[in-house]
Amino acid sequence: MARVVVTGGAGFVGSHICESLLARGDEVVAIDNLLTGSVDNISHLFGEKGFVFVEHDVTNYVHVSGPVDAVMHFASPASPVDYLEHPIKTLKVGSLGTHKTLGLAKDKGARFMLASTSEVYGDPLEHPQTEQYWGHVNPVGPRGVYDEAKRFAEAMTMAYHRSHGVDVRIVRIFNTYGERMRPHDGRVVSNFIVQALAGKPLTVYGEGQQTRSFCHVEDEVRGLLALLDSDYVGPMNIGNPNEFTVLELAQKVIELTGSSSEIVYEPLPVDDPTQRKPDISLAKRVLGWEPVIPLEEGLRRTAAWFARG
Ligand code: NAD
Ligand code: UDP
């Protein structure tokens, strides 16, 4: 049993992490400033033994009393719509927030996990992306606030590892979807499902030929907890290697929901990556992990969750 601090614990991925940790008997201190998260995501955990929620902005000094075995730093806007709306907060939580939470891990002698992202590869020129690829990022474009914050966070994490001996893990998360995404957080899976259920047109950006590889949150959380429990520093890609065009995704969502929605085409956002697919050989070899939930099943579960309202 361990005591784990989860920053961003009231967010989409963070709330699933809290749930999985509690289910295996760990204690959880969830810290979140509710910028893009909600107490609704964790309210069902409030009665559980060993669960504490603290409303706090982790760009400020983070104090946690008592022993801590692991710090999982997941706080950060993650949807392009959110980080474009909060560019400075995104840069601050990736830089100052990573510094503060690494400081907490160092002080407590705790393991530290950084939630990094496939966006460190930018608009990748190598395909699929392995962990060796250094990326192709526009530092001054609008997405740079997220990409560079995460690249800085990786560098800071490695510096604490090398200079202070902090036991770190870096996970590069690829597009993750599932239950508890906000209906209007702007990411493609939630947008399409919400639009399809409402019979509204699905908004495909560009010609919809750009690709993504979508991982259901249950597979994702299983992978990142396996990395946390391993002795591999990283960085490690955790995502689903099955690649789809955005147009294919729209067609699948319409089919699975039995919707009468049409598809409309809207402008492609600036610097939108053309292709993205993780090479997960490393995760398979080191952790014996790979995703098992097919896109159709994951979309069905997510749509059922949104339909319940
Ligand atoms: P999310 O927006 O649902 O969750 C992020 C959480 O962080 C929110 O609850 C928000 O309120 C909180 N937060 C933001 N700034 C904070 C601050 N300064 N102090 C305290 N809390 C703060 O997003 P998500 O999809 O759950 O993403 C979680 C993490 O995983 C992020 O670090 C993100 O970069 C990373 N990630 C997610 C994906 C994905 O596809 N979901 C992909 C790559 C990386
Ligand atoms: N996208 C889209 N319609 C939407 C939302 C997103 O076509 O309503 C596209 C977006 O341009 C990108 C892909 O879907 O090419 C994935 O977008 P998302 O915001 O989910 O995540 P990203 O991978 O860009 O961070």
Side-chain angles (χ1 to χ4, degrees):
M1 198 190 88
R3 187 158 184 257
V4 185
V5 170
V6 182
T7 79
F12 161 52
V13 177
S15 64
H16 286 275
I17 294 175
C18 293
E19 210 169 67
S20 294
L21 289 170
L22 288 168
R24 71 187 204 178
D26 292 340
E27 291 182 14
V28 174
V29 180
I31 305 181
D32 201 299
N33 68 351
L34 305 179
L35 177 67
T36 57
S38 167
V39 168
D40 293 347
N41 288 335
I42 48 170
S43 54
H44 62 295
L45 302 176
F46 282 162
E48 290 215 16
K49 198 167 153 281
F51 181 72
V52 178
F53 172 65
V54 182
E55 187 173 338
H56 178 69
D57 180 339
V58 298
T59 62
N60 299 315
Y61 185 83
V62 182
H63 173 76
V64 177
S65 53
V68 174
D69 302 296
V71 176
M72 301 180 72
H73 181 38
F74 279 67
S76 171
S79 162
V81 169
D82 289 334
Y83 60 74
L84 297 179
E85 189 183 338
H86 302 290
I88 297 170
K89 287 191 166 85
T90 302
L91 282 159
K92 284 175 76 175
V93 74
S95 55
L96 303 177
T98 303
H99 183 224
K100 298 290 179 286
T101 51
L102 275 163
L104 173 70
K106 174 171 161 262
D107 188 45
K108 300 285 186 182
R111 184 168 291 183
F112 179 86
M113 173 175 269
L114 173 70
S116 186
T117 167
S118 51
E119 282 279 328
V120 300
Y121 303 123
D123 189 359
L125 302 178
E126 280 184 21
H127 196 73
Q129 294 80 51
T130 67
E131 291 84 353
Q132 279 75 48
Y133 180 48
W134 290 357
H136 180 230
V137 170
N138 175 4
V140 294
R143 292 177 90 101
V145 299
Y146 181 67
D147 303 11
E148 297 295 7
K150 292 290 187 179
R151 289 168 68 97
F152 175 93
E154 289 199 7
M156 181 66 106
T157 300
M158 289 312 295
Y160 264 66
H161 177 57
R162 294 191 181 112
S163 301
H164 294 311
V166 175
D167 183 21
V168 304
R169 306 285 179 274
I170 296 175
V171 58
R172 291 185 179 151
I173 301 170
F174 283 63
N175 293 66
T176 299
Y177 71 97
E179 301 85 313
R180 295 201 202 114
M181 293 184 92
R182 279 176 301 145
H184 300 294
D185 94 349
R187 283 180 276 195
V188 70
V189 173
S190 43
N191 272 10
F192 284 178
I193 290 178
V194 169
Q195 290 161 345
L197 291 177
K200 295 199 172 136
L202 272 64
T203 51
V204 167
Y205 300 161
E207 291 173 8
Q209 293 309 306
Q210 68 275 34
T211 68
R212 295 293 186 272
S213 308
F214 301 99
C215 189
H216 187 266
V217 65
E218 186 181 308
D219 278 333
E220 186 66 41
V221 169
R222 190 169 48 79
L224 52 91
L225 291 185
L227 177 60
L228 180 75
D229 294 341
S230 78
D231 54 14
Y232 191 82
V233 166
M236 184 184 281
N237 293 338
I238 297 285
N240 191 316
N242 290 326
E243 186 183 11
F244 299 89
T245 67
V246 165
L247 187 59
E248 283 171 337
L249 177 73
Q251 287 157 344
K252 263 187 202 304
V253 168
I254 288 175
E255 194 184 304
L256 286 169
T257 53
S259 172
S260 56
S261 292
E262 295 167 8
I263 290 174
V264 294
Y265 294 88
E266 294 191 355
L268 193 64
V270 176
D271 293 339
D272 197 282
T274 311
Q275 51 181 2
R276 181 182 289 158
K277 167 188 164 97
D279 181 319
I280 60 163
S281 320
L282 184 68
K284 278 188 186 164
R285 193 174 72 246
V286 175
L287 309 177
W289 172 87
E290 63 182 312
V292 295
I293 301 172
L295 183 63
E296 289 74 10
E297 185 190 332
L299 290 176
R300 243 182 244 114
R301 286 195 204 179
T302 312
W305 185 82
F306 276 115
R308 279 201 299 273

